[in-house]
Each structure stands twice: as C-alpha cells, then as structure tokens.
Amino acid sequence: MQHYLKTVTLGAFTWKDEERLKLFVEHLRELKGPWLFLHFILLSICLNFPVIFAIAQLPPHELYGRLYGETYNFAGASSTTEFNMIMYESGYGANVLLPLLGLALLLVLIIQGVFYLSAVFFLGLHRLHQRHLSFRNRLGLALFSSTLPVLAAAFFGIFLPTVHIIIFYFMVMFFIFQRSRIISLEW
C-alpha cells in the first residue's frame, strides 16, 4: 500500500525533474498489476462523479423528458409533482435511477479503457526512437499521470458535466507525452 501511495504521489507531483521521473519509473516497474487496475477504477469513478451527480439531481419528469424527448402523459398525471410522486412510489430510484447510473459508469469505464489503451499504443509509437518502456510501464505512466487532471476535471465537471471528460483527455495527453519526452535515453 505504501509503495502504491508513493507512486501516486510521484505520478501526480513530478513535473520536469529528471531524478523524480526516474524514481517514478522505478516505482512503476515494481508496482504489481492489481494496483494499476485499482488506480484505473479510482480514476474512472472520479471522472464519472459529475455525470452521476448531474443525473441524480434530475427530478423524474425531467429525466423522462431527456431520455424520451417528449413530455410525459403517464397514468393520468396532470402535473409534474403528481408524475414525480407516481414515479417515486413505483420504485423510481431502484428500478430506473440505479440502472441508469450503472450504465453511465459502465460507459465511462469503456471510454476510459479505450482511451488508455490508445494512449499507451501511441506512446509506444512515440517512443520507438527512445529506450523501450514495457506496455505495463507505459500504462502506469498514463494512469498515474492522470491523478491531478482527473481531480481538476471532476471539479470542473460539477459545473459542466460531460465537457469535463474531453478536457480531462486533453490534459492527460499533454502530461503523458510531456513526461515521456523528458525521460532520457540513459535510463
């Protein structure tokens, strides 16, 4: 656990210092695969928080309108308050909201997985002329360089949900390739 926390700290707070980057890469090489998976899940949950927050805030009538693109005419409900009460009484939280939040998390996990695999692949292409980093080390570099950008994006996502994901990806690409460029041939 202590090794994981040191790696997270080095990944988040190492900028242009070659010695700290060298220590960061050494920590990545010693880190086991389950810690990479744990960090991936934590990053995905953090990135997904603003989306979940935005969906959970919506009253049932507004969520219905956004999902189906129409106004409601359900069970003779004449007002939004009546519609909301009918939905709450029929198990809206457990039957509608929780599966929708689970689907949102699954979608973010899939997008995250594709993004990180693509980033690792392109990082490998970018580094062909430099010393070889293994797939796991490139993945670790990408994941642990994402700690601060995901926190910043999650904060920004409270105000503009879903836009924060695009901003997060741009920040992560900058961090990954900037750090990869600094890693020297001598290592």
Side-chain angles (χ1 to χ4, degrees):
M1 179 71 164
Q2 184 179 3
H3 188 69
Y4 168 73
L5 294 176
K6 283 182 183 178
T7 308
V8 169
T9 304
L10 285 169
F13 299 109
T14 300
W15 303 107
K16 293 186 176 188
D17 184 7
E18 284 192 38
E19 289 301 316
R20 286 184 59 119
L21 276 173
K22 184 177 181 180
L23 184 61
F24 175 52
V25 172
E26 288 173 7
H27 273 75
L28 284 176
R29 289 186 175 136
E30 296 172 10
L31 201 63
K32 305 278 189 246
W35 292 108
L36 291 174
F37 181 72
L38 171 71
H39 201 67
F40 171 76
I41 296 297
L42 290 175
L43 291 173
S44 298
I45 289 172
C46 191
L47 190 63
N48 195 44
F49 175 76
V51 175
I52 289 175
F53 184 70
I55 292 172
Q57 277 185 311
L58 295 175
H61 76 278
E62 193 171 334
L63 181 64
Y64 179 84
R66 289 185 182 191
L67 286 176
Y68 297 108
E70 60 184 39
T71 58
Y72 51 87
N73 187 3
F74 177 73
S78 58
S79 69
T80 58
T81 306
E82 190 176 334
F83 178 81
N84 290 343
M85 288 307 297
I86 291 171
M87 291 299 288
Y88 289 134
E89 289 171 357
S90 64
Y92 165 78
N95 297 328
V96 176
L97 193 58
L98 283 179
L100 188 61
L101 295 177
L103 285 173
L105 178 62
L106 181 64
L107 181 64
V108 167
L109 284 172
I110 291 169
I111 292 170
Q112 285 284 94
V114 169
F115 169 76
Y116 280 117
L117 289 176
S118 299
V120 167
F121 173 75
F122 288 115
L123 186 60
L125 289 178
H126 174 72
R127 293 190 53 85
L128 283 177
H129 66 284
Q130 298 177 356
R131 185 170 169 251
H132 178 69
L133 283 176
S134 70
F135 176 81
R136 192 172 68 68
N137 291 337
R138 290 191 315 256
L139 181 61
L141 176 68
L143 287 172
F144 287 98
S145 295
S146 302
T147 305
L148 282 183
V150 80
L151 293 175
F155 177 74
F156 184 76
I158 298 293
F159 306 106
L160 283 172
T162 65
V163 174
H164 76 288
I165 295 174
I166 296 167
I167 292 169
F168 166 74
Y169 290 140
F170 284 127
M171 287 190 313
V172 169
M173 285 188 289
F174 172 76
F175 276 64
I176 293 170
F177 287 100
Q178 180 260 346
R179 289 181 178 175
S180 174
R181 184 179 49 83
I182 293 174
I183 296 174
S184 68
L185 297 171
E186 303 159 6
W187 298 4

